[in-house]
């Protein structure tokens, strides 16, 4: 099998996560890193032993020898970069949220299809082994018809007024901050695991800090926890710190919260599903466990051990029981399937596609409209 040549655009928190994960994917070579400056690109390339680097992402697009591109930049750049990459005949793996709105996401879905290329959105959290076990058990009917879905995605890295991140600025991150950034993960996982689709939402969003201390530089994800470097400027805030959504998935009912101001919750995605035959709950802070709820027998906690997993879930566990697999491993699992689909055009994609990214934009658009109108809104 010929080796696939790829490039990573972005050297912030997610850029480095992608670069690390790509080193663990078979038959793929990162041949170029694009950053916001030539120096940043060179430093990253030297660190990750990558041949080429640039301070201009268009160099990647212009290089006909590059087969695929990872886009790990702030949200406003996803659409122009993905559009240019598709138009140049390159496969695209883009960070979530896919775009700044439904229209951009729709255009990317159409362009990818017209070009016959592979496109993925990095909803990597699907690929914890026990999330896949939850999904496969639901597919096997172990929980019956799903009645209730609920959970949260809670973090605390934006709790203080002095915490800052590029997502705070609508021009860079979009109209929504928390619901776009981590609420999208919750709904992608809820739909992936239940096999249902969010049909209606009723949302309430909260901005707890009307102004924040914007540092003169920095703003990378989670960087505020290390202290604000230098002087800061009071900046008005309009993007939400917290959101909650009631939702319907056909007959099923659900509720969720997304928060980046919940002290002590470091990266806490929780999904609970309850059906006519049983329930299940998964917590990102204890990712190797799956809680199974029963009405007529003792509840159980299933620990990841490939020998105990559903045959299809087993493919997402590379290590034996007791050898924890976590956040970095989920990227490896998603990327491995993306590149396998590039290498073999006959493969059915088994990763979040551009159409899944569009779905999340539609849910987000409905949440924003609902919060504005304080009413239930259909997801188109
Ligand atoms: C920041 O909230 C962040 O890095 C998200 O952007 C990621 O998608 C999430 O997995 C971890 O937290």
């Amino acid at each position: 099998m010929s080796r696939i040549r790829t490039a990573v655009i972005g050297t912030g928190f997610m850029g480095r996560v992608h670069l690390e994960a790509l080193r663990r994917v078979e038959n793929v070579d990162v041949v170029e890193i694009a950053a916001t400056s030539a120096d940043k690109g060179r430093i990253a390339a030297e660190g990750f032993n990558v041949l080429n680097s640039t301070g201009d992402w268009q160099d990647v697009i212009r290089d006909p020898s590059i087969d695929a591109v990872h886009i790990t930049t702030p949200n406003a750049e996803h659409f122009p970069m993905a559009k240019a990459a598709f138009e140049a005949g390159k496969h695209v793996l883009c960070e979530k949220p896919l775009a700044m709105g439904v229209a951009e996401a729709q255009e990317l879905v159409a362009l990818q299809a017209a070009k016959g290329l592979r496109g993925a959105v990095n909803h990597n959290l699907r690929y914890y082994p026990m999330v896949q076990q939850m999904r496969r058990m639901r597919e096997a009917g172990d929980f019956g018809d799903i009645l209730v879905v609920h959970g949260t995605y809670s973090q605390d890295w934006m709790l203080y007024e002095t915490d800052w991140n590029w997502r705070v600025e609508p021009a860079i991150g979009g109209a929504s901050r928390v619901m776009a950034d981590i609420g999208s993960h919750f709904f992608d996982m809820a739909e992936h695991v239940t096999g249902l689709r969010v049909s209606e939402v009723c949302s309430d969003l909260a901005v707890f800090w009307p102004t924040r201390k914007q540092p003169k530089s920095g703003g990378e994800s989670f960087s505020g926890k290390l202290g604000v470097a230098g002087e800061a400027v009071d900046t008005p805030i309009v993007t939400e710190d917290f959101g909650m959504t009631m939702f319907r998935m056909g007959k099923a009912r659900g509720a969720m919260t997304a928060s980046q101001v919940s002290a002590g919750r470091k990266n806490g995605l929780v999904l609970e599903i309850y059906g006519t035959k049983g329930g299940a709950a998964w917590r990102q802070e204890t990712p190797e466990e799956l809680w199974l709820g029963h009405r007529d027998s003792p509840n159980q906690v299933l620990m990841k051990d490939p020998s105990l997993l559903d045959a299809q879930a087993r493919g997402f566990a590379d290590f034996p029981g007791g050898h924890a697999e976590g956040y970095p491993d989920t990227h490896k699992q998603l990327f491995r399937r993306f590149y396998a689909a590039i290498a073999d055009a006959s493969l059915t994609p088994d990763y979040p596609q551009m159409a899944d990214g569009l779905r999340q934009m539609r849910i987000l658009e409905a949440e924003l409209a609902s919060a504005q109108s304080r009413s239930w809104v259909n997801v188109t």
Side-chain angles (χ1 to χ4, degrees):
M1 178 188 294
S2 62
R3 298 187 67 81
I4 298 170
R5 294 165 54 87
T6 195
V8 175
I9 302 177
T11 55
F13 169 64
M14 287 312 300
R16 294 193 301 275
V17 168
H18 283 235
L19 284 163
E20 281 188 22
L22 280 163
R23 300 176 79 151
R24 303 168 69 196
V25 178
E26 303 80 356
N27 303 318
V28 178
D29 298 312
V30 180
V31 297
E32 185 154 26
I33 296 174
T36 50
S37 72
D39 276 351
K40 282 185 179 179
R42 180 179 45 75
I43 291 166
E46 286 171 0
F48 283 96
N49 191 28
V50 169
L51 191 61
N52 301 314
S53 64
T54 178
D56 177 0
W57 63 272
Q58 297 272 15
D59 289 340
V60 167
I61 304 302
R62 283 188 283 261
D63 183 340
S65 74
I66 292 176
D67 304 308
V69 175
H70 287 237
I71 300 170
T72 73
T73 57
N75 302 346
E77 297 167 313
H78 291 181
F79 173 72
M81 290 179 176
K83 183 170 188 276
F86 279 142
E87 286 172 341
K90 301 182 192 307
H91 307 283
V92 173
L93 193 154
C94 186
E95 266 300 328
K96 35 51 60 183
L98 175 57
M100 294 285 270
V102 167
E104 285 186 348
Q106 278 177 317
E107 189 171 336
L108 291 177
V109 169
L111 182 56
Q112 178 216 340
K115 291 282 188 176
L117 292 164
R118 298 300 195 177
V121 180
N122 193 36
H123 281 295
N124 60 295
L125 303 182
R126 294 180 178 189
Y127 298 116
Y128 284 94
M130 300 315 282
V131 172
Q132 288 302 309
Q133 178 66 15
M134 195 176 189
R135 167 199 174 188
R136 300 303 182 178
M137 290 179 74
R138 190 274 306 162
E139 287 176 345
D142 293 359
F143 308 127
D145 293 337
I146 303 301
L147 305 172
V148 175
V149 178
H150 68 85
T152 184
Y153 199 151
S154 296
Q155 303 170 328
D156 66 5
W157 63 286
M158 292 297 287
L159 175 57
Y160 298 145
E161 185 184 19
T162 52
D163 291 326
W164 185 266
N165 177 244
W166 53 263
R167 294 180 181 84
V168 167
E169 299 180 77
I172 302 174
S176 162
R177 174 161 29 108
V178 171
M179 280 308 198
D181 183 17
I182 54 179
S184 60
H185 273 305
F186 173 86
F187 283 115
D188 176 77
M189 187 181 286
E191 293 195 331
H192 177 69
V193 168
T194 63
L196 303 175
R197 290 289 176 263
V198 176
S199 50
E200 297 172 75
V201 295
C202 186
S203 300
D204 183 26
L205 309 180
V207 175
F208 292 121
W209 289 108
T211 62
R212 284 182 176 265
K213 304 288 185 186
Q214 180 174 7
K216 288 289 188 190
S217 62
E220 185 179 301
S221 299
F222 299 101
S223 61
K225 294 191 142 190
L226 303 175
V228 175
E231 64 183 280
V233 176
D234 283 334
T235 304
I237 302 302
V238 295
T239 54
E240 80 277 9
D241 299 308
F242 170 87
M244 55 186 174
T245 294
M246 293 188 293
F247 55 94
R248 297 181 179 183
M249 301 175 101
K251 181 179 75 173
R253 296 290 191 269
M256 62 80 74
T257 61
S259 168
Q260 288 175 335
V261 293
S262 297
R265 290 301 174 199
K266 304 309 173 184
N267 199 29
L269 175 54
V270 176
L271 176 66
E272 302 191 18
I273 65 175
Y274 298 94
T276 52
K277 291 169 63 179
W282 179 81
R283 310 178 73 88
Q284 188 172 13
E285 292 180 347
T286 52
E288 296 268 281
E289 298 177 6
L290 182 64
W291 177 88
L292 299 174
H294 307 293
R295 161 72 182 263
D296 303 320
S297 58
N299 295 338
Q300 299 166 293
V301 173
L302 179 59
M303 280 288 289
K304 184 213 74 187
D305 178 333
S307 67
L308 302 177
L309 298 185
D310 170 281
Q312 296 193 75
R314 196 173 302 149
F316 293 88
D318 284 357
F319 296 92
H323 299 64
E325 294 175 86
Y327 183 75
D329 302 274
T330 63
H331 292 86
K332 175 189 70 175
Q333 296 293 348
L334 191 159
F335 296 178
R336 179 183 284 165
R337 286 157 177 82
F338 176 62
Y339 284 100
I342 290 174
D344 179 350
S346 69
L347 277 184
T348 301
D350 183 13
Y351 50 79
Q353 301 183 69
M354 290 277 151
D356 296 296
L358 172 55
R359 276 208 51 74
Q360 292 315 311
M361 298 311 299
R362 291 194 188 285
I363 293 170
L364 184 61
E365 187 174 77
E367 288 179 301
L368 289 169
S370 170
Q372 186 69 33
S373 64
R374 298 175 61 78
S375 62
W376 280 90
V377 172
N378 291 333
V379 176
T380 54

